[in-house]
Amino acid sequence: PGPVRLGRNVCYVVLAVLFNQEDSLLLVQEAKPECRGLWYLPAGRVERGEPIVAALRREVREESGLHCEPVTLLALEERGPAWIRFSFLARATGGTLKTLEEADSESLQATWWPGDPRSLPLRSPDILPVLELAARYRRSPAHPPTLPRELPCSPLCLRLLLPFSNASGELWLLLATAATPQLPVVACGTSPAELRAGLRPPLLRLLRERLGWEAQPEALGLLGLQHSPGDSGDTDGICFNVLLSVAPGGQRERPPEPRDPALRWWPVREELRGRVLQRIRATVPVRS
């Protein structure tokens, strides 16, 4: 597929969840005509040539007056690769809350809200599941801190961690072996239909066409992501490192033989098995 470009065929959005020392939640009052006066989390679109974390800092500063640093990605939300939202847990590092006297086109004001945000008129209830994830993470982190790594990428693609285990506890990982063994990578297409279809279709094609496996994916989790924008506008892509969970589909003792000779199942050594299993149980949720 051709390269993806912000503002042309993809849109990335950042959203921030911040709490203060009294466990109050940072909310901003919208200034946009279509939702003026309603409350929401700091959020906005990533701009061309802007790293994802830089966009997060900018949106929080513009809408609330505060400086912040990200703690971890909480969720990846997608409506097809054409619209992807990165929801972060972050912490305030300085600045002062925007007041009504400082209202501008970005927001009317910001506040640390001590109560249930549902008691306010919200722009959308779609932030409530993200707030639940944030509350859970603060109580007991479900995954290691996950932030974007700087690595340029032209397409929007997924590096796949696909494990297979049997009743005996043996574990295999799918690898691409055309050159140096590595995790297989699948790319999302850039046609309008493919961009609306979501992140799953390329994974389904790999399962069915290259593996000959009709099993249905049960869950998709994010292990990490790599993104580094370029000035030329041809590196707006992102590589998502994802874990794909697949129902076993019977009592197989060994994984299905791939149709594609460039793929093979690689047995995981016993001394690494525990580390691999521990890591794949702790992923950032992907919501479609």
Side-chain angles (χ1 to χ4, degrees):
V4 299
R5 290 185 171 89
L6 279 172
R8 185 177 301 178
N9 52 16
V10 294
C11 174
Y12 303 148
V13 176
V14 290
L15 180 142
V17 181
L18 290 88
F19 295 92
N20 64 10
Q21 293 181 341
E22 289 74 40
D23 287 335
S24 296
L25 173 67
L26 179 65
L27 292 173
V28 296
Q29 194 172 33
E30 296 283 4
K32 302 179 186 69
E34 64 271 19
C35 54
R36 188 177 179 85
L38 302 181
W39 293 87
Y40 206 62
L41 295 173
R45 296 188 180 192
V46 178
E47 297 177 353
R48 292 290 300 276
E50 187 176 42
I52 295 170
V53 168
L56 177 80
R57 296 189 188 107
R58 176 182 54 77
E59 287 293 343
V60 171
R61 184 179 67 254
E62 290 176 349
E63 296 193 352
S64 73
L66 300 181
H67 303 285
C68 79
E69 285 298 325
V71 175
T72 184
L73 192 64
L74 288 171
L76 178 71
E77 301 167 279
E78 55 108 352
R79 300 173 192 167
W83 188 94
I84 296 175
R85 185 165 76 176
F86 304 89
S87 297
F88 287 90
L89 178 65
R91 59 183 178 85
T93 58
T96 55
L97 282 178
K98 179 185 285 189
T99 65
L100 279 173
E101 289 73 24
E102 299 167 307
D104 55 22
S105 60
E106 297 293 338
S107 66
L108 299 180
Q109 62 176 323
T111 188
W112 290 110
W113 185 251
D116 188 337
R118 290 172 294 186
S119 62
L120 289 172
L122 296 178
R123 168 182 157 186
S124 171
D126 68 342
I127 62 173
L128 297 178
V130 178
L131 293 177
E132 179 58 32
L133 285 174
R136 274 190 243 154
Y137 192 91
R138 296 176 75 214
R139 289 194 301 267
S140 177
H143 53 80
T146 303
L147 297 173
R149 299 291 184 93
E150 287 198 13
L151 184 71
C153 184
S154 292
L156 199 149
C157 57
L158 300 100
R159 182 181 289 114
L160 178 64
L161 184 68
L162 178 59
F164 180 94
S165 61
N166 60 18
S168 303
E170 295 175 286
L171 179 68
W172 291 262
L173 295 178
L174 185 69
L175 294 184
T177 56
T180 303
Q182 58 184 302
L183 296 175
V185 176
V186 295
C188 299
T190 52
S191 70
E194 288 176 302
L195 286 170
R196 287 193 300 268
L199 299 178
R200 290 176 180 267
L203 299 175
L204 290 172
R205 282 197 297 272
L206 180 139
L207 289 176
R208 292 169 182 168
E209 298 172 12
R210 299 179 65 189
L211 279 181
W213 198 6
E214 293 298 327
Q216 288 296 316
E218 289 188 325
L220 185 65
L222 182 70
L223 292 159
L225 65 151
Q226 295 156 343
H227 171 257
S228 180
D231 295 335
S232 61
D234 60 356
T235 55
D236 289 334
I238 297 178
C239 182
F240 295 106
N241 301 318
V242 297
L243 168 72
L244 187 64
S245 171
V246 179
Q251 300 300 316
R252 288 180 179 268
E253 279 301 307
R254 298 185 64 83
E257 192 66 27
R259 288 177 180 168
D260 189 334
L263 297 174
R264 66 170 289 187
W265 292 97
W266 201 277
V268 177
R269 298 196 307 268
E270 181 62 32
E271 59 267 29
L272 293 178
R273 184 176 172 276
R275 290 170 58 190
V276 172
L277 288 175
Q278 182 181 25
R279 183 64 186 93
I280 66 180
R281 293 190 185 108
T283 63
V284 176
V286 177
R287 297 185 169 181
S288 302

